[in-house]
């Protein structure tokens, strides 16, 4: 059982699941399907039910499936992003070409390649999520520009100073206190909204994805 693993191993196992879920495409047509990303703050948690006040203002009950897992995020720095790192970057197209980052998740080395690709994302309208390897990172006047490579393709993304940059961190169900900020990749089922994993804010760091 998961409680018998070391915290580091437990984090890797939950994060692999999370990385895959975060990378799944969320296109306009998917909004009518089973996938839903829940962003908001915890109202209450008990047993296998998490109640969330979503960013849209709705109060939503999320059923936590058997074996559900939780991770947190920890602050990182833009200077931590190096060639060879595997990252997940939510971004928006820029008027002058390329993309501008909305947030960056630096994956632990054990998760390199998880959910590789670039997909539509629902953080903001027209945003995308790119899970890819950093080919180069160039410091500029305002932040850093990275070229990332995935599945034989490349994408250039600028990361302005002040962009949230995080990495994964351990968490437990005890962190699901009222007011804690959560990101929950979930599914709509006949019985309601169901999740197998989630990310919770901890030590003042909130999930930016």
């Amino acid at each position: 059982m998961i409680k018998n693993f070391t915290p580091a191993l437990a984090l890797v196992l939950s994060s692999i699941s999370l990385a895959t879920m975060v990378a799944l495409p969320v296109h306009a047509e998917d909004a009518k399907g089973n996938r839903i990303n829940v962003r908001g703050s915890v109202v209450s948690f008990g047993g296998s039910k998490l109640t969330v006040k979503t960013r849209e203002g709705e109060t939503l009950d999320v059923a936590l499936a058997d074996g559900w897992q939780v991770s947190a995020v920890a602050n990182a720095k833009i200077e931590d992003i190096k060639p060879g790192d595997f990252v997940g970057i939510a971004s928006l197209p820029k008027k002058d070409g390329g993309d501008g980052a909305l947030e960056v998740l630096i994956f632990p080395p054990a998760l390199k390649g998880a959910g590789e690709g670039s997909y539509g994302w629902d953080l903001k309208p027209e945003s995308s999520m790119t899970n890819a390897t950093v080919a180069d990172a160039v410091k500029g006047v305002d932040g850093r520009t990275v070229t990332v490579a995935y599945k034989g393709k490349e994408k250039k993304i600028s990361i302005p100073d002040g962009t949230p940059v995080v990495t994964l961190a351990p968490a437990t169900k005890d962190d699901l206190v009222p007011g804690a900020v959560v990101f929950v990749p979930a599914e709509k089922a006949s019985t309601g909204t169901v999740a197998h994993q989630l990310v919770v804010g901890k030590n003042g760091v909130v999930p930016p994805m």
Side-chain angles (χ1 to χ4, degrees), residues 7 45 68-72 169-177 198 200 202:
F45 164 68
W68 65 275
Q69 299 165 335
V70 58
S71 298
T172 71
K173 64 181 182 180
D174 294 333
D175 295 309
L176 297 174
V177 296
L198 59 97
V200 60
K202 187 176 178 181

Side-chain angles (χ1 to χ4, degrees), residues 122-142:
D122 61 348
L123 183 58
K124 289 188 176 181
E126 299 184 10
S127 63
S128 61
M129 173 64 73
T130 303
N131 281 16
T133 301
V134 177
D136 62 41
V138 180
K139 180 68 177 176
V141 175
D142 179 22

Side-chain angles (χ1 to χ4, degrees), residues 38-103:
V38 180
R39 300 174 176 89
S41 57
V42 174
V43 174
S44 64
F45 164 68
S48 60
K49 187 176 83 170
L50 180 70
T51 302
V52 178
K53 180 68 173 293
T54 71
R55 66 176 182 177
E56 293 80 19
E58 175 188 6
T59 299
L60 180 67
D61 289 334
V62 179
L64 300 173
D66 291 344
W68 65 275
Q69 299 165 335
V70 58
S71 298
V73 286
N75 275 329
K77 298 181 293 185
I78 193 170
E79 292 81 9
D80 295 332
I81 303 169
K82 304 178 298 296
D85 284 346
F86 192 72
V87 296
I89 306 179
S91 62
L92 281 172
K94 295 171 58 180
K95 291 181 180 180
D96 57 354
D99 273 29
L102 299 170
E103 58 87 21

